[in-house]
Protein backbone atom coordinates (compact mmCIF):
# COMPACT_ATOMS: atom_id res chain seq x y z
CA UNK A 1 0.00 0.00 0.00
CA UNK A 2 2.77 2.45 0.88
CA UNK A 3 4.50 1.69 -2.40
CA UNK A 4 1.35 2.54 -4.38
CA UNK A 5 0.92 5.81 -2.47
CA UNK A 6 4.53 6.76 -3.13
CA UNK A 7 4.13 6.04 -6.84
CA UNK A 8 0.94 8.08 -6.92
CA UNK A 9 2.73 10.97 -5.19
CA UNK A 10 5.60 10.83 -7.69
CA UNK A 11 3.16 10.82 -10.61
CA UNK A 12 1.32 13.93 -9.40
CA UNK A 13 4.46 15.71 -8.26
CA UNK A 14 5.86 15.76 -11.77
CA UNK A 15 2.75 16.60 -13.77
CA UNK A 16 2.98 19.45 -16.22
CA UNK A 17 0.30 21.55 -17.87
CA UNK A 18 0.70 19.34 -20.94
CA UNK A 19 -0.54 16.24 -19.09
CA UNK A 20 -4.13 17.46 -18.89
CA UNK A 21 -6.93 16.35 -21.19
CA UNK A 22 -10.37 17.86 -20.74
CA UNK A 23 -13.61 17.02 -22.54
CA UNK A 24 -14.54 19.88 -24.81
CA UNK A 25 -17.86 21.65 -24.95
CA UNK A 26 -18.56 20.14 -28.35
CA UNK A 27 -17.43 16.62 -27.51
CA UNK A 28 -13.85 16.76 -28.75
CA UNK A 29 -11.18 16.31 -26.07
CA UNK A 30 -8.95 19.31 -25.44
CA UNK A 31 -5.43 17.97 -25.03
CA UNK A 32 -3.16 20.68 -23.65
CA UNK A 33 -0.13 18.86 -25.11
CA UNK A 34 -1.44 19.95 -28.53
CA UNK A 35 -0.43 23.50 -27.57
CA UNK A 36 3.24 22.91 -26.78
CA UNK A 37 5.22 25.85 -28.11
CA UNK A 38 2.26 28.25 -27.79
CA UNK A 39 1.13 30.53 -25.01
CA UNK A 40 -2.11 29.53 -23.33
CA UNK A 41 -4.60 31.82 -21.66
CA UNK A 42 -6.83 29.68 -19.46
CA UNK A 43 -9.98 31.47 -18.30
CA UNK A 44 -12.86 30.38 -16.07
CA UNK A 45 -15.98 31.73 -17.74
CA UNK A 46 -19.69 32.21 -17.07
CA UNK A 47 -22.59 33.26 -19.29
CA UNK A 48 -24.55 35.36 -16.77
CA UNK A 49 -21.78 37.40 -15.14
CA UNK A 50 -21.01 41.10 -15.27
CA UNK A 51 -17.71 40.10 -16.88
CA UNK A 52 -19.36 37.96 -19.58
CA UNK A 53 -18.75 40.64 -22.27
CA UNK A 54 -15.05 39.72 -21.90
CA UNK A 55 -15.83 36.85 -24.29
CA UNK A 56 -15.61 39.49 -27.04
CA UNK A 57 -12.16 40.59 -25.88
CA UNK A 58 -11.01 36.99 -25.54
CA UNK A 59 -12.10 36.30 -29.13
CA UNK A 60 -10.39 39.51 -30.32
CA UNK A 61 -7.14 38.54 -28.57
CA UNK A 62 -7.38 35.00 -29.95
CA UNK A 63 -7.80 36.28 -33.52
CA UNK A 64 -4.96 38.77 -33.08
CA UNK A 65 -2.45 36.30 -31.57
CA UNK A 66 -3.63 32.83 -32.63
CA UNK A 67 -0.29 31.99 -34.26
CA UNK A 68 1.34 32.20 -30.82
CA UNK A 69 -1.58 31.83 -28.40
CA UNK A 70 -4.50 29.59 -27.65
CA UNK A 71 -7.27 30.73 -25.35
CA UNK A 72 -9.26 28.05 -23.58
CA UNK A 73 -12.49 28.85 -21.79
CA UNK A 74 -13.63 26.78 -18.83
CA UNK A 75 -17.30 27.42 -18.00
CA UNK A 76 -17.90 27.12 -14.26
CA UNK A 77 -20.89 27.64 -12.01
CA UNK A 78 -18.86 28.32 -8.85
CA UNK A 79 -19.76 31.97 -8.34
CA UNK A 80 -23.33 33.10 -7.81
CA UNK A 81 -24.83 30.41 -10.05
CA UNK A 82 -23.77 32.46 -13.07
CA UNK A 83 -23.25 29.47 -15.38
CA UNK A 84 -26.47 27.49 -14.94
CA UNK A 85 -26.74 26.25 -18.53
CA UNK A 86 -25.99 22.84 -20.01
CA UNK A 87 -22.94 22.34 -22.20
CA UNK A 88 -25.13 22.66 -25.30
CA UNK A 89 -26.68 25.92 -24.01
CA UNK A 90 -23.22 27.33 -23.21
CA UNK A 91 -21.96 26.43 -26.70
CA UNK A 92 -24.94 28.12 -28.34
CA UNK A 93 -24.61 31.22 -26.12
CA UNK A 94 -20.88 31.65 -26.85
CA UNK A 95 -21.25 31.27 -30.60
CA UNK A 96 -24.46 33.29 -31.00
CA UNK A 97 -23.49 36.23 -28.78
CA UNK A 98 -19.71 36.43 -29.15
CA UNK A 99 -18.67 34.30 -32.13
CA UNK A 100 -16.31 32.31 -29.91
CA UNK A 101 -13.97 30.18 -32.01
CA UNK A 102 -11.35 29.31 -29.38
CA UNK A 103 -11.63 25.98 -27.52
CA UNK A 104 -14.09 25.76 -24.65
CA UNK A 105 -14.27 22.85 -22.22
CA UNK A 106 -17.31 21.19 -20.78
CA UNK A 107 -18.61 22.86 -17.61
CA UNK A 108 -16.30 22.14 -14.67
CA UNK A 109 -15.63 23.31 -11.11
CA UNK A 110 -12.73 25.72 -10.60
CA UNK A 111 -12.87 25.98 -6.82
CA UNK A 112 -13.92 24.02 -3.74
CA UNK A 113 -14.05 20.35 -2.87
CA UNK A 114 -14.90 19.32 -6.43
CA UNK A 115 -12.23 21.48 -8.11
CA UNK A 116 -11.10 20.11 -11.45
CA UNK A 117 -7.52 18.72 -11.32
CA UNK A 118 -6.33 21.29 -13.89
CA UNK A 119 -7.49 24.18 -11.73
CA UNK A 120 -6.01 22.57 -8.64
CA UNK A 121 -2.70 22.43 -10.53
CA UNK A 122 -3.05 26.05 -11.69
CA UNK A 123 -3.84 27.37 -8.21
CA UNK A 124 -0.85 25.48 -6.78
CA UNK A 125 1.41 26.93 -9.48
CA UNK A 126 -0.06 30.39 -8.85
CA UNK A 127 0.77 30.07 -5.14
CA UNK A 128 4.43 29.52 -6.10
CA UNK A 129 4.27 32.93 -7.83
CA UNK A 130 2.71 34.56 -4.75
CA UNK A 131 -0.94 34.41 -5.86
CA UNK A 132 -2.72 32.88 -2.89
CA UNK A 133 -6.31 31.89 -3.67
CA UNK A 134 -6.15 33.41 -7.17
CA UNK A 135 -9.68 32.53 -8.33
CA UNK A 136 -11.96 35.04 -6.67
CA UNK A 137 -14.61 35.22 -9.40
CA UNK A 138 -15.39 34.38 -13.02
CA UNK A 139 -12.96 35.40 -15.77
CA UNK A 140 -9.73 34.89 -13.84
CA UNK A 141 -6.98 34.50 -16.43
CA UNK A 142 -3.95 32.20 -16.14
CA UNK A 143 -1.20 32.89 -18.68
CA UNK A 144 1.08 29.96 -19.51
CA UNK A 145 4.18 30.64 -21.60
CA UNK A 146 5.28 28.66 -24.66
CA UNK A 147 7.31 26.32 -22.44
CA UNK A 148 4.34 25.34 -20.27
CA UNK A 149 5.13 27.52 -17.26
CA UNK A 150 2.57 29.71 -15.52
CA UNK A 151 3.90 33.26 -15.78
CA UNK A 152 0.97 35.43 -14.67
CA UNK A 153 -2.50 35.45 -13.17
CA UNK A 154 -4.93 38.25 -13.93
CA UNK A 155 -8.08 38.95 -11.90
CA UNK A 156 -11.51 39.28 -13.47
CA UNK A 157 -11.32 43.05 -13.83
CA UNK A 158 -8.31 42.87 -16.20
CA UNK A 159 -9.66 42.92 -19.74
CA UNK A 160 -8.31 40.33 -22.23
CA UNK A 161 -6.90 43.03 -24.54
CA UNK A 162 -5.21 44.85 -21.65
CA UNK A 163 -1.63 45.76 -22.50
CA UNK A 164 -0.54 43.94 -19.34
CA UNK A 165 -1.61 40.65 -20.99
CA UNK A 166 -0.80 41.41 -24.63
CA UNK A 167 2.80 42.45 -23.94
CA UNK A 168 3.58 39.12 -22.23
CA UNK A 169 2.64 37.09 -25.34
CA UNK A 170 5.72 36.98 -27.51
Amino acid sequence: MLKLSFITFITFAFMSIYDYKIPGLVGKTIELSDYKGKYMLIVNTASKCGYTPQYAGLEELYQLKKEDLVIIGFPANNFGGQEPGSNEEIKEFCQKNYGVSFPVSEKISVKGKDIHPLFKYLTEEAAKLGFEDPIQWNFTKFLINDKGKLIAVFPSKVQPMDEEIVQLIK
Side-chain angles (χ1 to χ4, degrees):
M1 186 92 163
L2 180 60
K3 191 172 191 178
L4 178 61
S5 297
F6 180 71
I7 290 169
T8 302
F9 172 75
I10 295 294
T11 301
F12 287 113
F14 292 102
M15 284 192 86
S16 83
I17 192 78
Y18 300 123
D19 293 322
Y20 292 93
K21 297 176 185 179
I22 302 97
L25 197 54
V26 294
K28 184 181 176 201
T29 299
I30 300 169
E31 297 189 34
L32 298 188
S33 62
D34 289 347
Y35 305 115
K36 282 184 179 176
K38 282 191 165 197
Y39 282 72
M40 285 186 265
L41 189 66
I42 294 175
V43 186
N44 66 305
T45 61
S47 301
K48 298 188 183 305
C49 174
Y51 293 111
T52 299
Q54 286 190 21
Y55 269 124
L58 290 167
E59 181 63 24
E60 182 182 356
L61 179 61
Y62 179 62
Q63 292 302 323
L64 179 69
K65 297 281 194 175
K66 68 181 171 183
E67 294 298 316
D68 301 309
L69 169 74
V70 65
I71 293 172
I72 308 171
F74 289 87
N77 198 33
N78 293 92
F79 304 102
Q82 295 181 346
E83 189 55 89
S86 67
N87 288 331
E88 189 57 42
E89 290 168 331
I90 296 166
K91 173 188 167 202
E92 186 178 318
F93 175 85
C94 289
Q95 290 177 343
K96 179 182 172 189
N97 294 294
Y98 296 101
V100 169
S101 63
F102 54 83
V104 179
S105 82
E106 67 180 8
K107 188 160 62 168
I108 64 164
S109 178
V110 299
K111 197 167 182 154
K113 291 181 182 178
D114 61 343
I115 188 171
H116 188 280
L118 172 62
F119 277 82
K120 182 169 177 25
Y121 170 84
L122 288 170
T123 56
E124 288 170 356
E125 291 299 303
K128 293 175 188 175
L129 295 177
F131 296 98
E132 295 298 328
D133 195 23
I135 305 173
Q136 296 295 314
W137 202 253
N138 302 308
F139 289 88
T140 299
K141 298 152 201 76
F142 293 86
L143 183 60
I144 314 296
N145 71 11
D146 56 347
K147 297 183 180 32
K149 183 178 187 312
L150 178 67
I151 58 171
V153 179
F154 301 96
S156 307
K157 66 182 180 180
V158 176
Q159 296 292 318
M161 290 298 295
D162 191 289
E163 188 61 32
E164 193 177 3
I165 294 175
V166 176
Q167 71 181 0
L168 289 173
I169 303 164
K170 308 286 187 232

